[in-house]
Amino acid sequence: MATSRRSVSISRSGTPRSVIGTAYALSPFCSLPSSLRPRHGAWVSSTTTVPTPPLALRASVPLTAACLVTVVAALVPLLSPLLVALALGALVANTRLSRTRSLQGHAPVTKWLLRVGVVLLGLRLPVADVLAVGWSAAVVIMVTVVITYTGTRYLGRRLGLADDMVTLIAAGFSICGAAAIAAVSDAVQARERDVALAVALVTIFGSVMIGAVPALSSALGLSSTQGAVWAGASIHEVAQVVAAGSLIGTGAVAVATTVKLGRVALLAPTYAVAARSAGRHGEGRVPLVPWFVIGFAVAVAVRSLEVLSTPVVDVSSQLTTMLLAAGMFGLGLGLRLADLWPIPTRQLALAAMSTVLATGSSLLLIVVLGV
């Protein structure tokens, strides 16, 4: 019979494990010498699993983390709460805290939090506001999304990356960052580690663009409206767009956010494209339109009917951020330094090229169409 330490080695090397939400942990007796193990006439397995904690306990940790990062983001407006939550989760993942019972079996909770957050994201999107930006801005939105998504997919295949990873980056950089990645991850059945890496990349590159787009807009002599449209059509996260718009000008925030939400509106068709593509490669087909994408469309319809009061919309917006931040914390638990080394240079290269596609194509369209 192998010793407990040998059992650990076999388990880690011979069994593929999900990077996030690992359901198994060693029993307290595994680290004890055999002479100190209890003897009741029956053998105590050295790989006894720790029972999964109750759902409420598993959800309480990411939600508490989300509350904390929301406060931090409120104190430092340029910090994305999703990025802070992801970083906090990664910090926990690389310490002894990751072994606590409350974090065991949290993967389903993480997925549920992200899905509900995507649904509520639709309440931020009144269709009338998107249409108000005009046909030229609408063309910029749609063409930029198509070029960024398809171009990223093509470049990712040329780089030899796995198709699911390429799709995550393509969706995140063309639609709405972390929320799009969380939604599309279901379609391609991506590994949690890949999801977390894609979220980290889209957040980092989007954060760089907060300062880059306003600075380039000024250097190129773009008007405030053109700069706002460019920010909304190219920057990845909604919060990042708001920050960039505020640097361009007071009136630019509303225009930039509206254009960005126009990209968010394309989340459902992007999911459908990703799901159809994944269905050709996976062991089985995933639902073409899952419940949370339907919920997103319904939320958009409800918001567009203008039946919700301003306080309700404000609360739903805060709740959306909190749920997505909680989900990002869960994804961050998959960012273990040992698993991210060596540095994923091809993924970094694809993220950089996808950013260039989004910024370059949208700027060209703005100039050509005279937005």
Side-chain angles (χ1 to χ4, degrees), residues 289-350:
V289 184
W291 66 267
F292 63 93
V293 175
I294 295 175
F296 171 81
V298 171
V300 171
V302 171
R303 180 72 172 89
S304 301
L305 292 175
E306 299 183 350
V307 295
L308 301 178
S309 63
T310 300
V312 172
V313 173
D314 291 340
V315 170
S316 69
S317 180
Q318 293 295 325
L319 184 58
T320 300
T321 300
M322 186 168 295
L323 288 171
L324 290 176
M328 290 303 111
F329 173 82
L331 292 178
L333 292 174
L335 289 175
R336 302 179 190 275
L337 294 179
D339 296 320
L340 295 176
W341 188 262
I343 296 174
T345 53
R346 289 182 300 167
Q347 289 88 334
L348 280 171
L350 181 60

Coordinates of all heavy atoms in Angstrom, one line a residue, residues 289-350:
V289 N -29.0 28.4 -27.4 CA -29.4 29.6 -26.6 C -29.7 29.2 -25.2 O -30.8 28.7 -24.9 CB -30.7 30.3 -27.3 CG1 -31.0 31.6 -26.5 CG2 -30.4 30.6 -28.7
P290 N -28.8 29.3 -24.3 CA -29.0 28.9 -22.9 C -29.9 29.9 -22.1 O -30.2 31.0 -22.6 CB -27.6 28.9 -22.3 CG -26.9 29.9 -23.1 CD -27.4 29.9 -24.5
W291 N -30.3 29.5 -21.0 CA -31.3 30.3 -20.2 C -30.7 31.7 -19.9 O -31.5 32.6 -19.9 CB -31.6 29.6 -18.9 CG -30.5 29.4 -17.9 CD1 -29.7 28.4 -17.8 CD2 -30.1 30.4 -16.9 NE1 -28.8 28.6 -16.7 CE2 -29.0 29.8 -16.2 CE3 -30.6 31.6 -16.5 CZ2 -28.4 30.5 -15.1 CZ3 -30.0 32.3 -15.5 CH2 -28.9 31.7 -14.8
F292 N -29.4 31.8 -19.6 CA -29.0 33.2 -19.2 C -28.9 34.1 -20.4 O -29.0 35.3 -20.2 CB -27.6 33.1 -18.5 CG -26.5 32.5 -19.3 CD1 -25.6 33.4 -19.9 CD2 -26.2 31.2 -19.3 CE1 -24.6 32.9 -20.6 CE2 -25.2 30.7 -20.0 CZ -24.3 31.5 -20.7
V293 N -28.7 33.6 -21.6 CA -28.7 34.5 -22.8 C -30.1 34.9 -23.1 O -30.4 36.1 -23.4 CB -28.1 33.8 -24.0 CG1 -28.2 34.6 -25.2 CG2 -26.6 33.5 -23.7
I294 N -31.1 34.0 -22.9 CA -32.5 34.4 -23.0 C -32.8 35.4 -22.0 O -33.5 36.4 -22.3 CB -33.4 33.1 -22.9 CG1 -33.1 32.2 -24.1 CG2 -34.9 33.5 -22.9 CD1 -33.9 30.9 -23.9
G295 N -32.4 35.2 -20.8 CA -32.6 36.2 -19.7 C -32.0 37.5 -20.0 O -32.6 38.6 -19.7
F296 N -30.8 37.5 -20.6 CA -30.2 38.8 -21.0 C -31.1 39.5 -22.0 O -31.3 40.7 -21.9 CB -28.8 38.5 -21.6 CG -28.2 39.7 -22.3 CD1 -27.5 40.6 -21.5 CD2 -28.2 39.9 -23.6 CE1 -26.8 41.7 -22.1 CE2 -27.6 41.0 -24.2 CZ -26.9 41.9 -23.5
A297 N -31.6 38.8 -23.0 CA -32.5 39.4 -24.0 C -33.8 40.0 -23.4 O -34.2 41.1 -23.7 CB -32.8 38.4 -25.1
V298 N -34.3 39.2 -22.4 CA -35.5 39.7 -21.8 C -35.2 40.9 -20.9 O -36.1 41.9 -20.9 CB -36.1 38.5 -20.9 CG1 -37.2 39.1 -20.0 CG2 -36.6 37.4 -21.7
A299 N -34.1 40.9 -20.3 CA -33.7 42.1 -19.5 C -33.6 43.4 -20.3 O -34.0 44.5 -20.0 CB -32.4 41.8 -18.7
V300 N -33.0 43.2 -21.5 CA -32.9 44.3 -22.5 C -34.3 44.8 -22.9 O -34.5 46.0 -22.9 CB -32.1 43.9 -23.7 CG1 -32.2 45.0 -24.8 CG2 -30.6 43.6 -23.4
A301 N -35.2 43.9 -23.1 CA -36.6 44.3 -23.5 C -37.2 45.0 -22.4 O -37.9 46.1 -22.6 CB -37.4 43.0 -23.9
V302 N -37.1 44.5 -21.1 CA -37.7 45.2 -20.0 C -37.1 46.6 -19.8 O -37.9 47.6 -19.6 CB -37.5 44.4 -18.7 CG1 -37.9 45.1 -17.5 CG2 -38.2 43.0 -18.8
R303 N -35.8 46.7 -19.9 CA -35.2 48.0 -19.8 C -35.7 49.0 -20.9 O -35.9 50.2 -20.6 CB -33.7 47.9 -19.9 CG -32.9 49.2 -19.7 CD -32.9 49.7 -18.3 NE -32.0 50.8 -18.1 CZ -32.4 52.1 -18.3 NH1 -33.6 52.4 -18.7 NH2 -31.5 53.0 -18.1
S304 N -35.9 48.5 -22.1 CA -36.3 49.3 -23.2 C -37.7 49.8 -23.1 O -38.1 50.8 -23.7 CB -36.1 48.6 -24.5 OG -34.7 48.2 -24.7
L305 N -38.5 49.1 -22.3 CA -39.9 49.5 -22.1 C -40.1 50.6 -21.2 O -41.1 51.2 -21.0 CB -40.7 48.3 -21.6 CG -40.9 47.1 -22.6 CD1 -41.6 46.0 -21.9 CD2 -41.7 47.6 -23.8
E306 N -39.0 51.0 -20.5 CA -38.9 52.1 -19.5 C -40.0 52.0 -18.4 O -40.6 52.9 -18.0 CB -39.1 53.4 -20.3 CG -38.0 53.7 -21.3 CD -38.2 55.1 -22.0 OE1 -39.2 55.7 -21.8 OE2 -37.3 55.5 -22.7
V307 N -40.1 50.7 -18.0 CA -41.1 50.5 -16.9 C -40.4 50.5 -15.5 O -41.0 50.5 -14.5 CB -41.8 49.2 -17.1 CG1 -42.7 49.2 -18.3 CG2 -40.8 48.0 -17.1
L308 N -39.1 50.5 -15.5 CA -38.3 50.5 -14.3 C -37.9 51.9 -13.8 O -37.5 52.8 -14.7 CB -37.0 49.7 -14.5 CG -37.2 48.2 -14.9 CD1 -35.9 47.6 -15.1 CD2 -38.0 47.5 -13.8
S309 N -38.1 52.2 -12.6 CA -37.7 53.5 -12.0 C -36.2 53.6 -12.0 O -35.5 52.6 -12.0 CB -38.3 53.7 -10.7 OG -37.8 52.8 -9.7
T310 N -35.7 54.9 -11.9 CA -34.3 55.1 -11.8 C -33.6 54.4 -10.6 O -32.5 53.8 -10.8 CB -34.0 56.6 -11.8 OG1 -34.5 57.2 -13.0 CG2 -32.5 56.9 -11.7
P311 N -34.2 54.5 -9.4 CA -33.6 53.8 -8.3 C -33.4 52.3 -8.5 O -32.4 51.7 -8.2 CB -34.5 54.1 -7.1 CG -35.2 55.3 -7.5 CD -35.4 55.3 -9.0
V312 N -34.4 51.7 -9.2 CA -34.4 50.2 -9.5 C -33.3 49.9 -10.4 O -32.5 49.0 -10.3 CB -35.7 49.7 -10.0 CG1 -35.6 48.3 -10.5 CG2 -36.8 49.8 -9.0
V313 N -33.1 50.7 -11.5 CA -32.0 50.6 -12.4 C -30.7 50.7 -11.8 O -29.8 49.9 -12.0 CB -32.2 51.6 -13.6 CG1 -31.0 51.5 -14.5 CG2 -33.5 51.3 -14.4
D314 N -30.6 51.7 -10.9 CA -29.3 51.9 -10.2 C -28.9 50.7 -9.3 O -27.8 50.3 -9.3 CB -29.4 53.2 -9.4 CG -29.4 54.4 -10.2 OD1 -29.1 54.4 -11.4 OD2 -29.9 55.5 -9.7
V315 N -29.9 50.2 -8.6 CA -29.7 49.1 -7.7 C -29.3 47.8 -8.6 O -28.4 47.1 -8.2 CB -30.9 48.8 -6.9 CG1 -30.8 47.4 -6.1 CG2 -31.1 49.9 -5.9
S316 N -30.0 47.6 -9.7 CA -29.7 46.5 -10.5 C -28.3 46.6 -11.1 O -27.6 45.6 -11.3 CB -30.7 46.4 -11.6 OG -30.6 47.4 -12.6
S317 N -27.9 47.8 -11.4 CA -26.5 48.0 -11.9 C -25.5 47.7 -10.9 O -24.5 47.0 -11.2 CB -26.3 49.5 -12.4 OG -25.0 49.7 -12.9
Q318 N -25.7 48.1 -9.6 CA -24.8 47.7 -8.6 C -24.7 46.2 -8.3 O -23.7 45.6 -8.1 CB -25.1 48.5 -7.3 CG -25.0 50.0 -7.4 CD -23.5 50.4 -7.5 OE1 -22.6 49.7 -7.0 NE2 -23.3 51.4 -8.3
L319 N -25.9 45.6 -8.4 CA -26.0 44.2 -8.2 C -25.3 43.4 -9.3 O -24.7 42.4 -9.0 CB -27.5 43.8 -8.1 CG -27.8 42.3 -7.8 CD1 -27.1 41.9 -6.4 CD2 -29.3 42.0 -7.7
T320 N -25.4 43.9 -10.5 CA -24.7 43.3 -11.6 C -23.2 43.3 -11.4 O -22.6 42.3 -11.6 CB -25.1 44.0 -12.9 OG1 -26.5 44.0 -13.2 CG2 -24.3 43.4 -14.1
T321 N -22.7 44.4 -11.0 CA -21.3 44.5 -10.8 C -20.8 43.6 -9.7 O -19.8 42.9 -9.7 CB -20.9 46.0 -10.4 OG1 -21.2 46.9 -11.5 CG2 -19.4 46.1 -10.1
M322 N -21.7 43.5 -8.6 CA -21.3 42.7 -7.5 C -21.3 41.2 -7.8 O -20.4 40.4 -7.5 CB -22.3 42.9 -6.3 CG -21.9 42.2 -5.0 SD -22.9 42.7 -3.6 CE -22.3 44.4 -3.5
L323 N -22.3 40.8 -8.6 CA -22.4 39.4 -9.0 C -21.2 39.0 -10.0 O -20.6 37.9 -9.8 CB -23.7 39.1 -9.7 CG -24.9 39.0 -8.8 CD1 -26.2 39.0 -9.6 CD2 -24.9 37.9 -7.8
L324 N -20.9 39.9 -10.9 CA -19.8 39.6 -11.8 C -18.5 39.6 -11.1 O -17.6 38.8 -11.4 CB -19.8 40.6 -13.0 CG -21.0 40.5 -14.0 CD1 -20.9 41.7 -15.0 CD2 -20.9 39.2 -14.7
A325 N -18.3 40.5 -10.1 CA -17.1 40.6 -9.3 C -17.0 39.3 -8.5 O -15.9 38.8 -8.4 CB -17.1 41.8 -8.4
A326 N -18.1 38.8 -7.9 CA -18.0 37.6 -7.2 C -17.6 36.4 -8.1 O -16.8 35.5 -7.7 CB -19.4 37.3 -6.6
G327 N -18.1 36.4 -9.3 CA -17.7 35.4 -10.3 C -16.2 35.5 -10.6 O -15.5 34.5 -10.8
M328 N -15.8 36.7 -10.8 CA -14.4 37.0 -11.1 C -13.4 36.5 -10.0 O -12.3 36.0 -10.2 CB -14.1 38.4 -11.4 CG -14.7 39.0 -12.7 SD -14.2 38.1 -14.2 CE -15.7 37.3 -14.6
F329 N -13.9 36.7 -8.7 CA -13.1 36.2 -7.6 C -13.0 34.6 -7.7 O -11.9 34.1 -7.5 CB -13.8 36.5 -6.3 CG -13.2 35.9 -5.1 CD1 -12.1 36.5 -4.5 CD2 -13.7 34.8 -4.5 CE1 -11.4 35.9 -3.4 CE2 -13.1 34.2 -3.4 CZ -12.0 34.8 -2.8
G330 N -14.1 34.0 -8.1 CA -14.0 32.5 -8.3 C -13.0 32.1 -9.4 O -12.3 31.2 -9.3
L331 N -13.1 32.9 -10.5 CA -12.2 32.6 -11.6 C -10.7 32.8 -11.2 O -9.8 32.1 -11.6 CB -12.5 33.4 -12.8 CG -13.8 33.1 -13.5 CD1 -14.1 34.0 -14.7 CD2 -13.9 31.7 -14.0
G332 N -10.5 33.9 -10.4 CA -9.2 34.2 -9.9 C -8.5 33.1 -9.1 O -7.3 32.9 -9.0
L333 N -9.4 32.3 -8.5 CA -8.9 31.1 -7.7 C -8.2 30.1 -8.6 O -7.5 29.2 -8.1 CB -10.0 30.5 -6.9 CG -10.7 31.3 -5.8 CD1 -11.9 30.6 -5.2 CD2 -9.6 31.6 -4.7
G334 N -8.4 30.2 -9.9 CA -7.7 29.3 -10.8 C -6.4 29.8 -11.3 O -5.7 29.2 -12.1
L335 N -6.0 31.1 -11.0 CA -4.8 31.6 -11.5 C -3.6 31.3 -10.5 O -3.1 32.1 -9.8 CB -4.9 33.2 -11.6 CG -5.8 33.7 -12.7 CD1 -5.9 35.2 -12.7 CD2 -5.2 33.2 -14.1
R336 N -3.2 30.1 -10.5 CA -2.1 29.6 -9.7 C -0.8 29.9 -10.5 O -0.7 29.5 -11.7 CB -2.2 28.2 -9.4 CG -3.5 27.9 -8.6 CD -3.6 26.4 -8.3 NE -4.9 26.0 -7.8 CZ -5.3 26.2 -6.6 NH1 -4.5 26.6 -5.7 NH2 -6.5 25.9 -6.2
L337 N 0.2 30.5 -9.8 CA 1.4 30.8 -10.5 C 2.1 29.6 -11.2 O 2.7 29.7 -12.2 CB 2.4 31.5 -9.5 CG 1.9 32.9 -9.0 CD1 3.0 33.4 -8.0 CD2 1.7 33.9 -10.1
A338 N 2.0 28.5 -10.5 CA 2.7 27.3 -11.0 C 2.1 26.9 -12.4 O 2.8 26.4 -13.2 CB 2.6 26.2 -10.0
D339 N 0.8 27.2 -12.5 CA 0.1 26.8 -13.8 C 0.3 27.8 -14.9 O 0.0 27.5 -16.0 CB -1.4 26.6 -13.5 CG -1.7 25.5 -12.5 OD1 -1.0 24.4 -12.6 OD2 -2.5 25.6 -11.7
L340 N 0.7 29.0 -14.5 CA 0.8 30.1 -15.5 C 2.3 30.3 -16.0 O 2.6 31.2 -16.7 CB 0.3 31.4 -14.9 CG -1.2 31.5 -14.6 CD1 -1.5 32.8 -14.0 CD2 -2.0 31.3 -15.9
W341 N 3.1 29.4 -15.5 CA 4.5 29.5 -15.9 C 4.9 28.3 -16.8 O 4.5 27.2 -16.5 CB 5.4 29.5 -14.7 CG 6.9 29.8 -15.0 CD1 7.9 28.9 -15.2 CD2 7.4 31.1 -15.2 NE1 9.0 29.5 -15.5 CE2 8.8 30.9 -15.5 CE3 6.9 32.4 -15.2 CZ2 9.7 31.9 -15.8 CZ3 7.8 33.4 -15.4 CH2 9.1 33.2 -15.7
P342 N 5.6 28.5 -17.9 CA 6.1 29.8 -18.4 C 5.0 30.7 -18.9 O 3.9 30.3 -19.1 CB 7.0 29.4 -19.6 CG 6.3 28.1 -20.1 CD 5.8 27.4 -18.8
I343 N 5.4 32.0 -19.0 CA 4.4 33.1 -19.4 C 3.8 32.7 -20.8 O 4.5 32.3 -21.7 CB 5.1 34.4 -19.5 CG1 5.6 34.9 -18.2 CG2 4.1 35.5 -20.1 CD1 6.4 36.1 -18.2
P344 N 2.5 32.7 -20.9 CA 1.8 32.3 -22.1 C 2.0 33.4 -23.2 O 1.1 34.2 -23.5 CB 0.3 32.2 -21.7 CG 0.2 33.2 -20.6 CD 1.5 33.1 -19.9
T345 N 3.1 33.3 -23.9 CA 3.4 34.4 -24.9 C 2.5 34.4 -26.1 O 2.2 35.5 -26.6 CB 4.9 34.1 -25.4 OG1 5.0 32.8 -25.9 CG2 5.9 34.4 -24.3
R346 N 2.0 33.2 -26.5 CA 1.1 33.2 -27.7 C -0.2 33.9 -27.3 O -0.8 34.6 -28.1 CB 0.9 31.8 -28.2 CG 2.1 31.2 -28.9 CD 1.8 29.8 -29.4 NE 1.5 28.9 -28.3 CZ 0.9 27.7 -28.5 NH1 0.6 27.3 -29.7 NH2 0.6 26.9 -27.5
Q347 N -0.7 33.6 -26.1 CA -2.0 34.2 -25.7 C -1.8 35.8 -25.6 O -2.7 36.5 -25.9 CB -2.4 33.6 -24.4 CG -3.0 32.2 -24.5 CD -1.9 31.2 -24.3 OE1 -0.7 31.4 -24.6 NE2 -2.2 30.0 -23.9
L348 N -0.6 36.2 -25.0 CA -0.3 37.6 -24.9 C -0.3 38.2 -26.3 O -0.8 39.3 -26.5 CB 1.0 37.8 -24.2 CG 1.0 37.7 -22.7 CD1 2.4 37.7 -22.1 CD2 0.2 38.8 -22.1
A349 N 0.3 37.6 -27.2 CA 0.4 38.1 -28.6 C -0.9 38.2 -29.2 O -1.3 39.2 -29.9 CB 1.3 37.2 -29.5
L350 N -1.8 37.2 -29.0 CA -3.1 37.3 -29.6 C -3.9 38.4 -29.0 O -4.7 39.1 -29.7 CB -3.9 35.9 -29.4 CG -5.3 35.8 -30.0 CD1 -5.3 36.1 -31.5 CD2 -5.9 34.5 -29.7

